[in-house]
Amino acid sequence: MTPLFDRLQDQPADAIIGLMRAYAADPRPSKIDLGVGVFKTPEGLTPIPRAISAAERRVMDAQTTKTYTDLAGDITFRRSMSDLVLGVDYGEAPAIATVGGTGAVTLALDLIRGAVPTATIWVPTPTWPNHLAIIRHRGLPLRPYRYAENGVLDLDGMQADLSEMKEGDAIILHGCCHNPTGIDPTLDDWHAIATLIATRGATPVIDLAYQGFGTDLDTDAAATRLIARTCPNTLIAASCSKNFGLYRERAGALIATCHDTSAHDRIQGTLTALNRLTYSFPPDHGARLVSTVLTDPDLRADWIAELSDMRSTINDLRSALADALRLATNSNRFDAIATQKGMFSRLGLKLDDIATLREHHGIYMVGDSRINIAGLTHDTIPTCAAAIAKTIR
Amino acid sequence: MSTDDPKTLVSTQWLADHLQNPDLRVLDASWYMPDSGRNPRAEYDAAHIPGARFFDIDDISDHRSDLPHMAPPVEKFMSRMRAMGVGDGHQVVVYDGAGLFSAARVWWMFRLMGKFDVAVLDGGFPKWQAEGRPIEDLPPVVRDRHMTVQRQNQMIKDVTQVAAASKLLDYEIIDARAPARFKGEVEEPRPGLRSGHIPNSKNVPFGTLLNEDGTMKSEADLRAVFDAAGVDLGKPAITSCGSGVTAAIINLALERLGRDNHALYDGSWSEWGMYDDLKVAKG
């Protein structure tokens, strides 16, 4: 007899978490962490946004009970998230509070598996590695589609691949600030992509983890809104980790849009049941902070201002890094970093080069050469650029 | 005698025949080594082919780079060309005051920007003058012309790509500098640079591609020069020189031979010679 735990297999080390450990253990004071996707100030801190702190004090003072909330999550949170993502003019959409954006993605996949057990899930190449892992864990068939190559969007390849989608398939899309490339389609590109998805009868699953980190809250949601208008059914996994600085609180929402509004009750019932089946009630604390910020005009304005500051910090670092790399490498191969969106860019380095940067220069990045732009500072950019230039020569 | 080809090389007679064509643009792209004592702009002001514009290689370059006259950003090229009245639908002819020295660089730059209707004037200004053809000292009347640009990234290589090619041997790296510099027997003119050449590169001094009068050799003769240097013309090529100017003469010669897979190492020896961590070969 083989005891249960003896049957378990070793899990592949999570690349990013392993990198965080190696970074922590590195004694060099000049080390630079470009790994995990967390916003950092020039001082290397990940602050709690002012509005979130204020909301937290307010909730603490006002909250009199910790009893269960709605199975679907607090209604104010769901409405305000739906408004944030779809725009106030959209009207109501079925939604649930989830355990962060990842929780929303997993429940979206569970919904698809329940409705179409044979559905293939189409995933961009490259994508956030956890997308692949959680799709495989659910035993769903997975097909990669071409997304970006050599630092540019491969729209032709993408359309060629997606023309093979079957009715009932689902496709993972990054709503903005594509992770790991930072390359987003234009709205015209999105229009063509959404039309193709609708024509094939597939369902878009939009992972919206960085709303507000690209251009602004509405512009970053424009692709999501366009897809929701074009495709009859759309699932949107919205994360509050980055834009509200709530990483550890696990606040997120799964929102469903459906052109046939008479189906809303059935969809809402299904979403709520998914929460119930998975963990009964979704966490409430982070969600309540978000809805407090979104519904209070002063807190909301302050949050938008602070989010805009975070975005400027990242975009300034982007320009500075692109300039420094152009100077250090005498080539324009890194110019696109300046115009890519969100926290990440991919440098397109080889594994050897990434190892050299880590061992000789104390610069830590993930194995696909994704860098977290916010891990840089204006002080570290020149040394970082010089190290990269030296390494790739 | 050269065969006129408006995409590579045209004769002085061809240019004389087409000079009145309203869609023809002539560029004086003269540029000389800093120690030559020649002032290309002043020479242009004093005498140039009628209607020619002066193309300043040092100005129309990437000023964000520390290296000399690197290829300009597309926006800069577009706006400079527009201001010079050079744009879409134009046939461009480039020449220089040395016969053939810097004009090929501008020919290459137009192609880099996706403009292929460009030719070098065979024999350049010296031949034009020697034949007693018309010259003038008047500035041209310029009207804005829109230019659309599509950068051809495969035509330019950076140090990373050249370093890889030097190891993988998947390109012929062809160096246009004089043999003494290639072999590392003399100091580089630019201070601080090491002497020698990129490992596994071949030496084809640009002068060996030209006749005495500065015109380009015939195809058969060009082929013989590359053969003698051990260049496999079947392989894709990367050209290099001191600062990326005369290397383009090799690109022009390769194009004349019907090769289309050739790129230019823009940093050239100004860059490779600077970094101690890059290997240097001598002899």
Side-chain angles (χ1 to χ4, degrees):
Chain A
M1 282 212 300
T2 313
L4 174 67
F5 293 164
D6 287 1
R7 295 166 190 260
L8 299 181
Q9 293 174 352
D10 286 334
Q11 291 292 316
D14 185 294
I16 298 176
I17 308 301
L19 198 70
M20 285 166 77
R21 283 208 198 97
Y23 176 78
D26 189 333
R28 286 173 287 188
S30 61
K31 62 185 178 177
I32 303 172
D33 178 13
L34 306 180
V36 67
V38 168
F39 175 79
K40 289 179 192 166
T41 62
E43 295 75 37
L45 304 174
T46 305
I48 305 171
R50 297 180 299 261
I52 289 289
S53 291
E56 199 150 34
R57 282 190 293 276
R58 213 178 275 184
V59 168
M60 192 116 84
D61 291 343
Q63 204 164 44
T64 54
T65 178
K66 290 286 190 185
T67 188
Y68 292 120
T69 175
D70 196 319
L71 261 181
D74 178 62
I75 181 68
T76 313
F77 172 72
R78 289 185 279 135
R79 291 234 171 102
S80 51
M81 279 303 286
S82 163
D83 286 351
L84 182 69
V85 171
L86 296 168
V88 281
D89 300 332
Y90 185 85
E92 280 189 40
I96 48 173
T98 57
V99 185
T102 310
V105 172
T106 61
L107 293 189
L109 291 167
D110 285 343
L111 182 147
I112 291 158
R113 185 176 56 177
V116 189
T118 56
T120 295
I121 314 297
W122 294 75
V123 190
T125 303
T127 192
W128 185 47
N130 208 22
H131 281 151
L132 308 173
I134 60 186
I135 292 166
R136 291 202 186 99
H137 181 62
R138 276 166 178 69
L140 285 160
L142 182 155
R143 285 269 306 265
Y145 65 85
R146 281 171 280 176
Y147 181 79
E149 182 88 29
N150 297 327
V152 287
L153 187 77
D154 182 4
L155 185 63
D156 292 342
M158 184 173 176
Q159 287 174 315
D161 290 346
L162 295 184
S163 64
E164 291 178 28
M165 288 188 299
K166 304 187 307 291
E167 189 183 338
D169 285 355
I171 169 173
I172 304 269
L173 301 162
H174 298 228
C176 67
C177 305
H178 181 267
N179 175 3
T181 65
I183 299 165
D184 288 340
T186 65
L187 273 188
D188 284 342
D189 297 339
W190 276 122
H191 181 74
I193 295 161
T195 308
L196 178 58
I197 295 169
T199 313
R200 303 300 306 166
T203 308
V205 179
I206 304 172
D207 192 345
L208 190 61
Y210 297 94
Q211 190 183 0
F213 268 64
T215 309
D216 59 55
L217 283 165
D218 285 324
T219 307
D220 291 351
T224 301
R225 294 170 190 174
L226 183 155
I227 295 162
R229 274 199 309 275
T230 311
C231 298
N233 295 180
T234 301
L235 287 160
I236 304 157
S239 167
C240 304
S241 297
K242 280 81 179 178
N243 49 8
F244 290 93
L246 279 170
Y247 303 86
R248 65 171 66 161
E249 300 294 356
R250 311 313 298 141
L254 178 58
I255 302 165
T257 62
C258 180
H259 292 184
D260 175 9
T261 49
S262 72
H264 275 188
D265 287 349
R266 194 171 64 237
I267 300 166
Q268 183 63 58
T270 305
L271 292 176
T272 307
L274 284 167
N275 259 354
R276 179 66 168 158
L277 293 166
T278 315
Y279 39 65
S280 270
F281 292 87
D284 180 71
H285 184 69
R288 196 161 294 271
L289 303 184
V290 168
S291 59
T292 304
V293 168
L294 287 178
T295 52
D296 181 294
D298 293 335
L299 292 185
R300 186 182 176 107
D302 190 67
W303 168 68
I304 289 174
E306 194 166 356
L307 184 59
S308 162
D309 288 346
M310 285 195 257
R311 190 168 58 235
S312 310
T313 300
I314 292 174
N315 288 339
D316 289 352
L317 289 169
R318 281 189 170 282
S319 307
L321 178 64
D323 288 346
L325 282 170
R326 190 184 311 110
L327 209 58
T329 64
N330 294 304
S331 87
N332 67 346
R333 66 164 62 201
F334 297 108
D335 277 11
I337 290 173
T339 50
Q340 287 166 352
K341 296 288 181 202
M343 271 204 298
F344 304 116
S345 279
R346 272 229 297 205
L347 296 179
L349 305 182
K350 296 197 291 276
L351 281 173
D352 290 356
D353 295 338
I354 294 162
T356 304
L357 283 167
R358 190 171 56 240
E359 287 156 21
H360 297 320
H361 303 283
I363 298 171
Y364 287 73
M365 65 183 73
V366 196
D368 62 357
S369 72
R370 181 192 88 167
I371 59 167
N372 174 18
I373 300 288
L376 293 161
T377 68
H378 288 281
D379 292 334
T380 58
I381 279 175
T383 46
C384 193
I388 291 168
K390 185 167 194 292
T391 303
I392 63 173
R393 285 205 281 271
Chain B
M1 283 307 293
S2 73
T3 320
D4 291 318
D5 171 14
K7 290 186 192 300
T8 54
L9 203 59
V10 295
S11 63
T12 47
Q13 186 58 48
W14 185 96
L15 181 57
D17 292 344
H18 291 78
L19 208 49
Q20 301 307 320
N21 181 341
D23 282 330
L24 182 84
R25 291 290 177 274
V26 183
L27 302 177
D28 179 341
S30 299
W31 180 90
Y32 305 106
M33 295 292 279
D35 58 358
S36 69
R38 291 181 71 169
N39 181 339
R41 167 80 74 173
E43 289 183 23
Y44 164 84
D45 286 341
H48 52 255
I49 294 176
R53 283 90 160 127
F54 184 70
F55 187 107
D56 187 335
I57 287 180
D58 280 327
D59 174 55
I60 305 172
S61 69
D62 190 349
H63 286 185
R64 302 168 304 187
S65 172
D66 291 336
L67 295 175
H69 46 252
M70 297 290 276
V74 287
E75 303 79 15
K76 183 172 181 179
F77 184 81
M78 274 195 302
S79 71
R80 287 290 201 280
M81 287 310 102
R82 182 179 301 197
M84 283 165 63
V86 180
D88 293 344
H90 284 153
Q91 167 68 46
V92 176
V93 174
V94 201
Y95 71 90
D96 63 54
L100 180 48
F101 184 71
S102 54
R105 163 81 187 183
V106 173
W107 168 83
W108 169 83
M109 199 187 293
F110 269 83
R111 295 165 60 86
L112 175 69
M113 299 298 171
K115 311 307 279 182
F116 291 90
D117 292 324
V118 57
V120 168
L121 178 65
D122 203 15
F125 199 54
K127 184 161 191 281
W128 181 270
Q129 266 185 314
E131 292 167 352
R133 299 186 188 273
I135 56 171
E136 64 178 25
D137 58 1
L138 303 165
V141 181
V142 167
R143 289 201 3 236
D144 264 25
R145 177 81 162 225
H146 179 72
M147 177 181 264
T148 43
V149 163
Q150 243 189 338
R151 200 171 188 272
Q152 310 287 307
N153 279 322
Q154 77 280 6
M155 291 178 47
I156 186 166
K157 298 289 178 195
D158 65 22
V159 66
T160 308
Q161 293 163 314
V162 177
S166 164
K167 290 177 200 134
L168 298 175
L169 310 178
D170 50 352
Y171 284 84
E172 289 281 20
I173 303 171
I174 314 174
D175 191 328
R177 291 176 301 157
R181 286 175 69 189
F182 181 84
K183 290 178 185 160
E185 294 164 355
V186 294
E187 293 257 311
E188 281 292 309
R190 271 168 68 89
L193 295 184
R194 300 171 300 163
S195 295
H197 59 264
I198 301 166
N200 297 313
S201 60
K202 311 265 170 72
N203 192 202
V204 177
F206 74 89
T208 61
L209 301 169
L210 307 178
N211 298 309
E212 295 264 319
D213 63 352
T215 56
M216 187 162 266
K217 285 182 177 172
S218 69
E219 290 182 22
D221 288 352
L222 290 177
R223 221 175 272 280
V225 171
F226 284 115
D227 279 351
V231 172
D232 176 358
L233 286 172
K235 265 173 137 179
I238 298 171
T239 66
S240 178
C241 59
S243 62
V245 173
T246 57
I249 298 172
I250 303 179
N251 295 86
L252 179 63
L254 290 169
E255 190 73 21
R256 289 290 285 176
L257 293 176
R259 316 306 316 172
D260 56 0
N261 199 347
H262 51 84
L264 183 146
Y265 171 27
D266 205 12
S268 278
W269 199 255
S270 305
E271 183 181 33
W272 193 282
M274 182 168 68
Y275 295 122
D276 290 335
D277 50 338
L278 291 172
K279 289 207 177 90
V280 165
K282 293 195 186 234

